[in-house]
Amino acid sequence: MSEPTTTPPLSAEHVRTELRRFLEERTKTDWAADTDLFATGGVSSLFAMELVVHVERTFGIAVEGPDLRIDNFRTVNAMTDLVLRLAEAGSGE
C-alpha cells in the first residue's frame, strides 16, 4: 500500500521568488520585495487583475471579498503575506 502524498506547506521564500519571477518576466524589471509596485508606476491597476489571477492559479488559493484590495498586491511582501495567510486558512478547512 502506498503512502498518501502531501504537498509541503508554502514557504515565504518560495512565494516571494515566484512572485518576483512573474513580475520580472511581465514588466522586465527586477523588483525589491518591499517596493510599492503601484506608487512607482511600475504596474497599473489593470495589471493588478493579472496579479490576482496569477496568485490564485499558481498557489491554489481564492482571493475574494475583503482580500481583493490593492494594498494586498502593492508589494511582493504584501502578496507573500496574503498567499501564506490564505493557504493556511485553506488548509485548515
Side-chain angles (χ1 to χ4, degrees), residues 14-33:
H14 170 73
V15 173
R16 202 172 291 113
T17 299
E18 169 54 31
L19 291 170
R20 289 183 71 199
R21 183 207 58 77
F22 175 76
L23 286 166
E24 184 175 344
E25 181 180 288
R26 300 285 293 138
T27 66
K28 308 299 183 223
T29 302
D30 184 21
W31 296 98

Side-chain angles (χ1 to χ4, degrees), residues 55-69:
V55 163
E56 289 182 326
R57 287 183 180 165
T58 302
F59 302 107
I61 59 173
V63 182
E64 302 171 324
D67 291 318
L68 272 175
R69 297 177 321 131

